[in-house]
């Protein structure tokens, strides 16, 4: 790494030299990794899945919601994504490339567009003395450019929502710092600032960015420089066939020159653009529109900002990249949706210049807000540096999780949103009208929106940073609870046919972006999740947790009847009336390949926590009858839970008495995790004996953490009492990063702070530093060879660690409000 430190680079975050290469390249979990025992056990599932997959992908020509046959290969290249919440994302890699695109909701293109580059041109005394593409690549196209920047002289540093690329220009005594700014507040856009410093006076004659106009359609394209009083020299591309515009706009401040080229061939040699810049540090800036391209032809444009830098000084050049795709059709094309930002910038598809102008005139304010939010954590010397990096960088998924944030149609009425059954939610329409509808994918490879058993973990990030979006999401879930979809379909795991969605149960998800989310829920068809034991409980737990953190009593009043409905549905799983539910002998919870029989630590613990919260909500709402009902259940259930599952050191996986029932599950204290986050872990509402919780956590730390991979990879899901990972299922010997973060939060809540940090650190070091999975944290990895499901929702649970730390520090939870009154993205 070069000696240059750059300007304004954060002290904490994820840093990597541009010449770095990760030594270990893992493979996605595939058919060859399934043990023979499991192959024989699931031969029916394999045949049913392949039949369904072939019909979906080969006959219907659609994408599978989970494609087990064509996993996304690991590319160890990604950095901070660009793009606001729900507006689509473009990811810039840590070597500076533009390499991952999510502009259509939930659909990803993993392609590096080599022509998207920054080029620097230095001039001194009227002569160009240095001109270089700021890329370590040596591509086969655009060979008229000077490629092959030496990566040893540069580093990338990410602390989401900001990132820095620091380049030392060899032999020039010049350092360039590219700062990417992304406001992690509602309605945010991304801007990029360049700083330059050197020891002698010179001109930074050209800082040029080239970008092809994206190929959203096969219609003609043209570059179009737009000129307006507020947005000058914006190089903009537009596309026929869809409402979309992309713009790249430098800020034309005093002393800054801005020039452009509206069209060049990104597949050619590129000499005309290169020589144009080399000659005088400027681009030609032709007037008028360029000629339309032929069908299938790709064109590109370039913009250049230049300034004069005094000796030993520095100057800033500013550039905004914006795209405007206001109207959205999902795969079914049944409904037209408008993105959230259209409330402020219109839906005509011509807002790219206005978006760019807004970003350039507001990013300094955004940075002040980012720093005011992050600094108390960053300046806390008691927190390890890796944790600060993990906490903020895992937030990338809030924008790059296929995220959508939609407006409710202005002519929409309450009946339109309540569904055929009529949800009876009095504040549904005001909430959705004010804050819109929010959804994000389970993972970039698992294309289901708001997968609820996983959102249970990730929701801490949402409720702590955007609580109104969490509440909006909960209203959408509540509507689906009281409605049903009687359409029959075959479920792939068991082969049985059942209806898509039953009434008074929580859905698995709110739909596939390839279909029509919100209108048709439960895209997941591996299991019939009406029989899952955790979904209903996770709704109740989140309702009270949300109320506890936001103090939103209207929300609690609306959710209370829904909570009662789902708990009534759940009561049927208490088959022996001992106050404790039983699992059904299949994988009927978020561990959807890990079979559970009878009472279980995971679902039983969630059940008791939910029953406790029903008592607390009834107390808050003055419903004495319901409170007494669930208090009686709680008292019975606590005794049954201890009697059937406690073995003196920890809670058994389940009560079946099978060989695997005594496994040590890392997630056995999930119910205690939520109770502790809500202040219900002591006194009259103590559900699990404190001594038992501490003993279980210490056992998990000793066995699942320290006895697995030398204590360096987090906690394995299941461990046998003899210290050997549980291999009874394909998930029991995995590490789930999001579960590890929630386990660490539970440890911190219970006073095991050092153990909690060490447990979570193993996952961060493995994912971000060893395996090269930055900004694509997977759902799972094993000790060796494989990972599963890149870029996954669950690791957002790291924000529960922060909540636990704040509780220990005595910071009382306060309602986190979105800005009031009219705001702009």
């Amino acid at each position: 790494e070069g000696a240059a430190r750059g300007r304004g680079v954060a002290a904490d975050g994820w840093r990597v030299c541009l010449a770095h290469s990760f030594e270990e390249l893992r493979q996605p979990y595939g058919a060859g990794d399934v043990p023979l025992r499991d192959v024989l056990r699931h031969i029916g599932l394999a045949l049913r899945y392949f039949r369904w997959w072939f019909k979906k992908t080969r006959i219907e020509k659609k994408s599978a919601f989970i494609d087990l046959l064509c996993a996304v290969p690991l590319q160890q290249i990604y950095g901070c994504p660009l793009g606001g919440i729900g507006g689509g994302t473009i990811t810039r890699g840590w070597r500076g490339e533009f390499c991952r695109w999510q502009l259509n909701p939930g659909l990803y293109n993993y392609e590096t567009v080599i022509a998207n580059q920054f080029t620097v041109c230095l001039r001194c005394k009227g002569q160009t003395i240095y001109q270089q593409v700021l890329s370590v690549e040596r591509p086969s196209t655009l060979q008229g450019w000077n490629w092959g920047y030496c990566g040893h002289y540069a580093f990338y540093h990410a602390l989401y929502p900001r990132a820095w690329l620091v380049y030392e220009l060899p032999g020039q005594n010049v350092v360039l710092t590219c700062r990417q700014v992304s406001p992690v507040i509602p309605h945010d856009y991304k801007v990029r600032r360049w700083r330059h410093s050197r020891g002698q006076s010179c001109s930074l004659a050209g800082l040029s960015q080239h970008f092809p106009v994206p190929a959203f359609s096969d219609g003609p394209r043209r570059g179009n420089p737009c000129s307006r009083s507020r947005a000058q020299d914006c190089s903009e591309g537009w596309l026929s066939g869809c409402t979309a515009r992309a713009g790249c706009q430098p800020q034309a401040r005093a002393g800054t020159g801005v020039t452009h080229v509206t069209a060049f061939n990104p597949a050619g040699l590129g000499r005309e653009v290169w020589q144009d810049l080399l000659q005088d540090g400027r681009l030609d800036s032709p007037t008028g529109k360029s000629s339309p391209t032929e069908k299938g032809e790709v064109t590109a444009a370039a913009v250049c900002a230049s300034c004069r830098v005094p000796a030993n000084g520095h100057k800033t050049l500013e550039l905004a990249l914006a795209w405007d795709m206001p109207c959205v059709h999902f795969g079914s094309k049944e409904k037209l949706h408008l993105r959230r930002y259209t409330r402020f910038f219109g839906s005509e598809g011509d807002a790219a210049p206005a978006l760019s102008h807004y970003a350039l005139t507001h990013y300094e304010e955004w940075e002040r807000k980012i720093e005011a939010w992050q600094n108390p954590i960053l300046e806390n010397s008691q927190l390890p540096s890796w944790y600060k990096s993990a906490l903020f960088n895992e937030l990338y998924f809030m924008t790059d999780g296929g995220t959508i944030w939609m407006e409710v149609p202005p002519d929409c009425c309450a009946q339109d949103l309540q569904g055929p059954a009529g949800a009876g939610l009095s504040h549904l329409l005001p909430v959705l009208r004010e804050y819109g509808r929010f959804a994000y994918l389970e993972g970039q490879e698992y294309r289901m929106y708001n997968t609820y058993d996983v959102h249970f973990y990730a929701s801490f990030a949402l409720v702590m940073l955007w609580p109104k979006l969490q509440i909006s999401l909960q209203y959408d879930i509540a509507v689906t609870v009281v409605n049903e979809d009687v359409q029959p379909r075959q479920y792939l795991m068991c082969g049985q046919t059942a209806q898509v969605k039953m009434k008074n149960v929580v859905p698995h998800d709110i739909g596939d972006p390839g279909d029509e989310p919100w209108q048709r829920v439960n895209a997941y068809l591996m299991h019939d999740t009406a029989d899952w034991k955790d979904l209903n409980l996770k709704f109740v737990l989140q309702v009270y947790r949300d109320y506890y953190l936001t103090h939103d009593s209207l929300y609690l009043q609306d959710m209370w009847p829904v909570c009662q409905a789902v708990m009534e549905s759940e009561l049927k799983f208490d088959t022996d009336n001992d106050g404790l539910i039983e699992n059904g002998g299949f994988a009927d919870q978020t561990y959807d390949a890990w079979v559970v029989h009878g009472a279980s630590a995971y679902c039983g613990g969630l059940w008791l926590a939910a029953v406790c919260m029903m008592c607390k909500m009834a107390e808050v709402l003055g419903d004495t009858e319901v409170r007494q009902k669930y208090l009686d259940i709680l008292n019975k259930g606590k005794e049954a839970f201890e009697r059937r599952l406690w073995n003196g050191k920890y809670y058994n996986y389940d009560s079946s008495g099978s060989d695997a029932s005594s496994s040590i599950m890392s997630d056995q204290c999930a119910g205690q995790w939520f109770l502790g986050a809500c202040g219900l872990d002591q006194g009259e509402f103590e559900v699990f004996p404190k001594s038992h919780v501490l003993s279980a956590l210490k056992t998990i730390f000793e066995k699942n953490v320290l006895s697995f991979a030398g204590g360096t990879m987090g906690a394995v899901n299941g461990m046998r009492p003899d210290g050997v990972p549980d291999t009874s299922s394909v998930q029991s010997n995995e590490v789930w990063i999001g579960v590890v973060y929630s386990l660490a939060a539970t440890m911190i809540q219970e006073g095991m702070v050092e153990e909690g940090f060490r447990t979570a650190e193993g996952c961060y070091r493995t994912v971000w530093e060893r395996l090269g999975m930055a900004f694509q944290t997977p759902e799972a990895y094993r000790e060796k060879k494989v990972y599963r499901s890149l870029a996954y929702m669950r690791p957002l649970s790291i924000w529960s660690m922060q909540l636990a730390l704040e509780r220990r520090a005595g910071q009382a939870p306060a309602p986190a409000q979105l800005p009031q009154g009219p705001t702009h993205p």
Side-chain angles (χ1 to χ4, degrees):
E1 191 174 306
R5 296 183 178 181
R7 290 185 61 86
V9 181
D12 299 294
W14 180 67
R15 181 171 295 196
V16 60
C17 174
L18 266 60
H20 181 72
S21 62
F22 294 94
E23 295 182 3
E24 185 175 354
L25 179 62
R26 292 216 165 183
Q27 301 299 317
Y29 187 87
D33 301 296
V34 181
L36 179 60
R37 176 200 64 225
D38 292 317
V39 171
L40 297 176
R41 184 189 303 168
H42 296 302
I43 190 69
L45 165 65
L47 293 174
R48 286 186 291 271
Y49 178 82
F50 180 76
R51 212 164 36 235
W52 171 84
W53 178 89
F54 187 85
K55 178 184 178 183
K56 175 69 69 172
T57 62
R58 298 300 185 263
I59 297 175
E60 298 177 7
K61 305 296 183 183
K62 296 179 180 179
S63 298
F65 74 97
I66 298 179
D67 197 330
L68 300 178
L69 303 180
C70 300
V72 175
L74 173 62
Q75 297 187 80
Q76 299 165 317
I77 63 175
Y78 297 117
C80 276
L82 302 158
I85 294 179
T89 50
I90 298 173
T91 295
R92 194 164 184 231
W94 53 267
R95 290 191 178 98
E97 66 272 55
F98 290 79
C99 50
R100 185 169 66 197
W101 313 76
Q102 188 262 140
L103 299 175
N104 292 318
L107 304 178
Y108 281 82
N109 185 349
Y110 301 93
E111 176 187 2
T112 297
V113 180
I114 199 63
N116 285 352
Q117 301 292 344
F118 284 97
T119 294
V120 61
C121 174
L122 297 182
R123 290 175 62 81
C124 188
K125 299 178 181 179
Q127 299 292 322
T128 297
I129 58 173
Y130 182 88
Q131 186 162 303
Q132 174 72 50
V133 181
L134 296 172
S135 169
V136 299
E137 302 294 334
R138 297 181 182 273
S140 58
T141 57
L142 298 171
Q143 293 189 351
W145 297 3
N146 184 23
W147 296 89
Y149 173 84
C150 180
H152 291 284
Y153 290 95
F155 68 86
Y156 179 84
H157 189 96
L159 187 69
Y160 192 80
R162 295 191 289 179
W164 296 259
L165 264 167
V166 177
Y167 300 90
E168 187 176 348
L169 304 186
Q172 305 303 316
N173 196 24
V174 173
V175 176
L176 295 174
T177 301
C178 173
R179 185 165 85 253
Q180 174 184 313
V181 181
S182 308
V184 182
I185 51 176
H187 328 302
D188 67 329
Y189 293 89
K190 313 301 194 245
V191 294
R192 191 173 293 106
R193 295 183 69 187
W194 282 87
R195 289 186 180 273
H196 160 271
S197 60
R198 65 171 290 135
Q200 65 180 34
S201 177
C202 77
S203 292
L204 185 60
L207 184 66
S208 174
Q209 194 203 8
H210 320 280
F211 61 99
V213 176
F216 298 113
S217 74
D218 290 329
R221 310 176 185 92
R222 68 178 87 197
N224 179 19
C226 63
S227 180
R228 50 193 287 164
S229 60
R230 296 189 309 164
Q232 297 178 347
D233 294 290
C234 166
S235 186
E236 180 187 26
W238 64 266
L239 315 169
S240 67
C242 65
T243 307
R245 289 177 182 258
C248 185
Q249 175 188 336
Q251 177 82 311
R253 295 186 183 274
T256 301
V258 179
T259 53
H260 64 264
V261 167
T262 52
F264 70 91
N265 179 13
L269 293 176
R271 284 201 181 104
E272 66 281 9
V273 178
W274 189 263
Q275 293 299 323
D276 184 8
L277 184 64
L278 185 68
Q279 183 175 0
D280 59 3
R282 299 172 59 84
L283 297 175
D284 278 347
S285 299
T287 58
K289 297 180 178 180
S290 61
S291 301
T293 61
E294 298 296 328
K295 183 177 181 179
E297 183 182 355
V298 179
T299 192
V303 291
C304 173
S306 56
C307 66
R308 187 167 185 83
V309 184
N312 299 307
H314 63 86
K315 286 286 187 178
T316 299
L317 298 173
E318 299 156 317
L319 179 73
L321 175 64
W323 54 92
D324 181 24
M325 299 181 67
C327 306
V328 170
H329 279 109
F330 292 108
S332 72
K333 295 183 168 56
E334 293 176 28
K335 292 185 176 181
L336 181 67
H337 303 266
L338 298 181
R339 296 189 192 266
R340 170 72 173 182
Y341 72 84
T342 60
R343 171 179 293 206
F344 312 103
F345 290 92
S347 58
E348 298 302 315
D350 58 357
L355 291 168
S356 296
H357 175 263
Y358 190 87
L360 289 169
T361 55
H362 288 77
Y363 75 87
E364 291 175 324
E365 176 188 350
W366 295 342
E367 287 201 279
R368 287 192 294 270
K369 291 180 178 179
I370 290 169
E371 290 171 354
W373 162 51
Q374 291 187 339
N375 281 349
I377 296 172
L378 298 177
E379 293 171 358
N380 186 343
S381 60
Q382 295 181 326
L383 299 177
S385 182
W386 69 262
Y387 169 75
K388 299 169 185 177
S389 173
L391 183 70
F392 293 114
N393 282 326
E394 290 292 2
L395 281 174
Y396 83 94
F397 199 82
M398 285 301 305
T399 59
D400 203 18
T403 312
I404 51 175
W405 190 2
M406 302 301 188
E407 285 285 89
V408 172
D411 57 351
C412 184
C413 62
Q415 289 73 21
D416 296 331
L417 297 172
Q418 301 276 7
L425 301 168
S426 60
H427 294 88
L428 171 68
L429 182 59
V431 167
L432 297 190
R433 182 166 283 167
E434 178 65 23
Y435 299 106
R437 284 181 140 170
F438 173 85
Y440 57 162
L441 296 176
E442 179 179 336
Q444 290 181 11
E445 295 189 76
Y446 288 11
R447 296 187 311 109
M448 296 160 284
Y449 275 125
N450 293 351
T451 298
Y452 202 70
D453 57 302
V454 183
H455 172 70
F456 171 73
Y457 296 82
S459 63
F460 279 88
L462 208 58
V463 76
M464 290 178 70
L465 300 175
W466 298 274
K468 295 299 184 182
L469 293 186
Q470 165 67 7
I471 285 173
S472 169
L473 185 155
Q474 287 283 87
Y475 268 98
D476 276 329
I477 293 294
V479 167
T480 69
V481 166
V482 300
N483 286 280
E484 63 181 345
D485 183 345
V486 299
Q487 182 74 22
R489 66 178 178 184
Q490 185 185 48
Y491 289 92
L492 300 179
M493 184 65 75
C494 63
Q496 296 177 353
T497 298
Q499 68 186 64
V500 172
K501 166 70 174 64
M502 288 184 62
K503 188 174 183 178
N504 291 338
V505 298
V506 172
H508 175 273
D509 58 83
I510 57 102
D512 180 351
D515 187 24
E516 193 62 52
W518 291 300
Q519 181 172 323
R520 283 187 290 277
V521 303
N522 278 349
Y524 179 85
L525 46 70
M526 305 301 286
H527 292 276
D528 179 3
T529 58
D531 290 327
W532 275 20
K533 308 306 183 289
D534 60 340
L535 289 170
N536 295 332
L537 308 175
K538 289 173 175 177
F539 180 81
V540 173
L541 293 170
Q542 287 184 69
V543 166
Y544 183 74
R545 190 273 319 271
D546 298 344
Y547 166 73
Y548 176 75
L549 294 178
T550 67
H551 312 304
D552 190 335
S553 58
L554 295 178
Y555 164 73
L556 183 64
Q557 292 168 18
D558 262 357
M559 295 297 121
W560 179 234
V562 186
C563 289
Q564 294 181 76
V566 300
M567 289 297 281
E568 284 296 321
S569 293
E570 194 77 10
L571 275 169
K572 68 177 178 288
F573 299 128
D574 180 7
T575 56
D576 54 5
N577 196 33
D578 66 349
L580 187 65
I581 63 170
E582 282 81 32
N583 289 86
F586 66 102
D588 52 357
Q589 24 72 43
T590 193
Y591 298 88
D592 58 355
W594 198 354
V595 174
V596 201
H597 296 268
S600 69
Y602 182 69
C603 291
L606 293 175
W607 162 255
L608 292 179
V611 172
C612 174
M613 291 192 184
M614 289 293 289
C615 295
K616 184 63 177 177
M617 286 188 283
E619 178 183 287
V620 171
L621 295 170
D623 195 330
T624 56
E625 182 179 346
V626 172
R627 183 182 185 276
Q628 188 59 51
K629 171 184 176 179
Y630 282 99
L631 192 57
D632 293 342
I633 294 172
L634 182 62
N635 290 330
K636 284 199 304 181
K638 287 195 296 184
E639 187 277 329
F641 187 79
E642 297 297 322
R643 171 171 45 84
R644 299 177 68 180
L645 294 168
W646 180 250
N647 64 18
K649 287 190 174 182
Y650 59 92
Y651 294 102
N652 286 333
Y653 176 68
D654 66 23
S655 63
S656 66
S658 67
D659 290 342
S661 68
S662 60
S663 286
I664 307 161
M665 187 189 197
S666 66
D667 212 4
Q668 65 183 270
C669 295
Q672 178 70 9
W673 170 45
F674 251 70
L675 289 170
C678 300
L680 297 177
D681 53 347
Q682 53 191 341
E684 63 172 318
F685 287 104
E686 181 180 284
V687 174
F688 309 98
K690 187 68 68 174
S691 61
H692 289 189
V693 171
L694 285 172
S695 177
L697 292 174
K698 289 176 181 177
T699 302
I700 293 167
F701 183 68
E702 176 188 344
K703 297 292 187 178
N704 299 57
V705 179
L706 297 183
S707 298
F708 177 74
T712 63
M713 295 183 72
V716 68
N717 283 342
M719 181 67 82
R720 301 294 302 138
D722 61 1
V724 176
D726 181 343
T727 58
S728 63
S729 86
V730 296
Q731 293 175 336
S732 54
N733 63 342
E734 291 182 326
V735 175
W736 286 11
I737 295 90
V739 168
V740 173
Y741 288 150
S742 68
L743 168 63
T746 312
M747 290 177 172
I748 292 169
Q749 287 172 183
E750 301 303 324
M752 298 171 58
V753 179
E754 183 179 344
E755 293 90 337
F757 276 128
R758 178 162 180 185
T759 297
E761 181 180 4
C763 282
Y764 174 80
R765 301 285 187 196
T766 299
V767 170
W768 289 77
E769 297 180 354
R770 176 178 150 199
L771 301 184
M773 294 178 174
F775 298 99
Q776 53 183 330
T777 304
E779 158 74 319
Y781 56 74
R782 289 189 174 172
E783 183 175 1
K784 298 177 181 178
K785 288 181 58 179
V786 298
Y787 66 87
R788 186 167 56 79
S789 187
L790 289 172
Y792 200 75
M793 177 199 292
R794 205 184 314 253
L796 285 169
S797 63
I798 193 171
W799 278 86
S800 67
M801 291 181 64
Q802 184 59 28
L803 181 61
L805 290 165
E806 290 176 4
R807 282 201 69 215
R808 284 189 60 80
Q811 299 176 20
Q817 301 286 337
L818 289 174
Q820 300 298 308
T823 57
H824 293 284

